[in-house]
Amino acid sequence: MITKISNINKVVSYDIKKKDIVSFSPNYILIKNGIIENIGFDEINNENIDNSIDANNNILTPGFIDSHTHLIFSSNRSKDFSKRISGKSYIDIANSGGGIKSSIKSLRETSSDLIIDKCMKEINNFIKNGTTTIEAKSGYGLSLLDEIRSLEIIKRLNNLSNIDLIPTFMGAHDFPEDVKDRSSYVDLICEEMIPEITSRNLAEFCDIFYEKGYFDKNQTIKIANQAINYGLDMKLHVDEFEDSDGAYLAAEINAISADHLMHSNQNGLKHMAEKNVAATILPGTTLFLGLDTYANGRKIIDYGCSLAIASDYNPGSNTIYSLPIIMALSCLYCGISINEAFKAVTYNAAKALKREDSIGLISKDYAADILFWDIDDISEIPYWFGADKLSHVMKKGKLIL
């Protein structure tokens, strides 16, 4: 199947060789079997073209990549939101039976089919906002059966939806209430969950909530070592509520990314840069929780880290699924430029998922994940604070919106 896109205003994409965001105006883009085969500035014979798409003078960009979500949940946590407005903190709510533990209870009581129906509706919302690849975590099951079930739901969603979902095992999201001994739950993760999940090939990454009140340093290292031994790549939630030296630990275990980073110290961030650990910031969560301290994206970039931004879509601390809105927040509150935010949801987001060689650019041999924008400049993407200017979404050469 050969598809040609023509009548292109311009293409805007990160350029690896120039190390910058570039724009150019080709006569056409040629796509074969979902992969960009050629970006041409000459005339082309249409005899071998199976499908022609008129870009209507739109700007084309790579599809957006959301490299951090907690998509697999059942019910909402609007009651937690009300408590937070009344002055309760995230930790206060968690300690009173809300938070992650309430999501665990609802997921365990909900059928897989109902969760899939809910997720499909949400995936369509992601698509309408330009997201063509989503990282999706387990972590609201926290039992062997329900963690496996959550990852199997992601696998089913991959077959049902028009975009790609990248599965991450996050059994180390919290400690379930039915486990009284924390060390025994860590053993369950290491001795049963990780071996079974990897034997079924259900996850690519393992993520751990390394934060005070959740998993401590020794527990995190133990789980990470086991995950790595079983072939999973590591991610870490770190330094969200206080500086736990989590950024430094992420570098020490050679994580692919460390996420949140609101309170990370200089040594940790520099160590991440040295070890090529992607830094993913999540400004939607800071906004949604009503907090004042946003991750300092400017500092993170200046220390040499590859900065990604993501939604952290989840039922408790952020229900924003629009990456254009997340871009706007990162520019307004995290000290980064529009071009840096654009790179952070395309090429660098692909790096945070070990896919920078296949998605995140409009370039030869990359997947034809392309957004069609009715705008004059990419500064309009965060400016309009939504996806109102998005005309079409292409995934692997097929229009899905």
Side-chain angles (χ1 to χ4, degrees):
M1 178 72 170
I2 298 177
T3 297
K4 183 183 82 168
I5 305 173
S6 59
N7 193 17
I8 301 164
N9 181 324
K10 61 183 175 181
V11 170
V12 182
S13 179
Y14 182 70
D15 186 292
I16 297 172
K17 292 181 180 178
K18 295 181 179 179
K19 296 183 178 180
D20 201 0
I21 304 298
V22 299
S23 65
F24 50 93
S25 299
N27 284 341
Y28 62 86
I29 296 175
L30 208 62
I31 300 161
K32 184 175 182 181
N33 298 327
I35 304 296
I36 298 171
E37 186 173 66
N38 189 27
I39 299 174
F41 295 84
D42 56 350
E43 297 300 323
I44 188 172
N45 189 325
N46 288 330
E47 286 183 6
N48 297 320
I49 304 300
D50 300 301
N51 183 33
S52 293
I53 296 174
D54 184 346
N56 291 313
N57 204 38
N58 279 188
I59 287 179
L60 306 188
T61 72
F64 291 162
I65 300 160
D66 198 337
S67 61
H68 183 129
T69 82
H70 299 265
L71 178 67
I72 311 305
F73 61 89
S74 174
S75 61
N76 69 64
R77 293 195 340 232
S78 56
K79 291 181 180 178
D80 289 5
F81 185 72
S82 297
K83 290 178 182 177
R84 205 156 48 245
I85 291 170
S86 300
K88 299 293 185 182
S89 72
Y90 183 91
I91 301 298
D92 291 336
I93 293 166
N95 290 337
S96 65
I100 294 170
K101 286 181 172 63
S102 65
S103 291
I104 295 165
K105 184 176 185 296
S106 66
L107 183 135
R108 290 180 177 182
E109 294 172 351
T110 306
S111 72
S112 295
D113 287 344
L114 285 177
I115 296 171
I116 286 170
D117 288 344
K118 178 203 72 76
C119 289
M120 284 298 294
K121 293 174 184 176
E122 292 164 350
I123 288 169
N124 287 333
N125 289 332
F126 278 87
I127 292 170
K128 290 174 185 176
N129 286 268
T131 299
T132 54
T133 302
I134 298 173
E135 183 263 9
K137 305 179 193 295
S138 67
Y140 293 124
L142 306 195
S143 69
L144 176 61
L145 292 178
D146 286 300
E147 283 298 298
I148 289 172
R149 186 164 72 97
S150 296
L151 292 164
E152 286 177 338
I153 286 171
I154 297 171
K155 188 173 184 177
R156 287 175 63 184
L157 287 168
N158 253 322
N159 294 328
L160 292 169
S161 70
N162 289 317
I163 62 175
D164 292 326
L165 277 72
I166 313 303
T168 294
F169 164 60
M170 198 174 180
H173 198 189
D174 198 351
F175 292 90
E177 287 185 312
D178 52 355
V179 174
K180 303 304 179 184
D181 179 9
R182 290 194 165 196
S183 63
S184 68
Y185 182 65
V186 172
D187 290 341
L188 177 67
I189 292 172
C190 292
E191 296 170 13
E192 296 187 44
M193 289 187 185
I194 289 173
E196 186 64 24
I197 285 162
T198 54
S199 73
R200 300 187 187 204
N201 197 29
L202 289 174
E204 295 185 27
F205 298 95
C206 175
D207 200 343
I208 303 169
F209 196 3
Y210 174 46
E211 195 78 38
K212 183 179 180 180
Y214 293 87
F215 291 82
D216 65 25
K217 184 175 182 179
N218 290 335
Q219 291 164 341
T220 297
I221 291 172
K222 180 175 180 177
I223 295 167
N225 285 340
Q226 183 75 334
I228 292 166
N229 288 339
Y230 275 84
L232 296 175
D233 287 309
M234 286 305 305
K235 291 175 167 289
L236 289 184
H237 285 52
V238 298
D239 303 334
E240 180 178 2
F241 301 115
E242 62 180 52
D243 182 5
S244 302
D245 217 16
Y248 196 91
L249 180 61
E252 284 295 284
I253 66 168
N254 294 305
I256 301 302
S257 75
D259 301 16
H260 285 294
L261 306 170
M262 279 95 87
H263 297 278
S264 298
N265 62 60
Q266 174 178 318
N267 288 339
L269 294 171
K270 286 184 175 180
H271 197 34
M272 281 176 56
E274 291 167 359
K275 291 293 192 76
N276 200 28
V277 179
T280 304
I281 61 173
L282 311 163
T285 305
T286 308
L287 176 75
F288 198 86
L289 290 176
L291 302 175
D292 297 324
T293 303
Y294 284 81
N296 191 329
R298 173 80 279 123
K299 180 174 69 174
I300 290 169
I301 292 172
D302 291 346
Y303 287 154
C305 293
S306 296
L307 181 77
I309 57 178
S311 71
D312 192 22
Y313 180 73
N314 73 84
S317 59
N318 182 46
T319 57
I320 300 169
Y321 43 72
S322 165
L323 284 179
I325 290 177
I326 300 299
M327 288 175 67
L329 293 175
S330 69
C331 294
L332 290 169
Y333 300 116
C334 301
I336 68 174
S337 70
I338 289 170
N339 277 5
E340 287 166 337
F342 179 80
K343 182 184 177 186
V345 295
T346 55
Y347 182 71
N348 280 355
K351 285 187 74 173
L353 296 174
K354 287 187 71 176
R355 280 168 165 75
E356 68 269 29
D357 295 330
S358 60
I359 59 174
L361 304 179
I362 295 182
S363 184
K364 188 176 185 298
D365 296 327
Y366 274 70
D369 296 354
I370 298 173
L371 306 181
F372 295 62
W373 297 94
D374 183 18
I375 56 177
D376 296 318
D377 187 86
I378 63 165
S379 62
E380 293 187 56
I381 298 174
Y383 168 78
W384 289 111
F385 229 74
D388 309 281
K389 299 296 181 178
L390 188 58
S391 303
H392 296 289
V393 175
M394 173 178 281
K395 179 67 181 179
K396 295 179 181 176
K398 296 181 181 179
L399 291 178
I400 60 174
L401 178 70

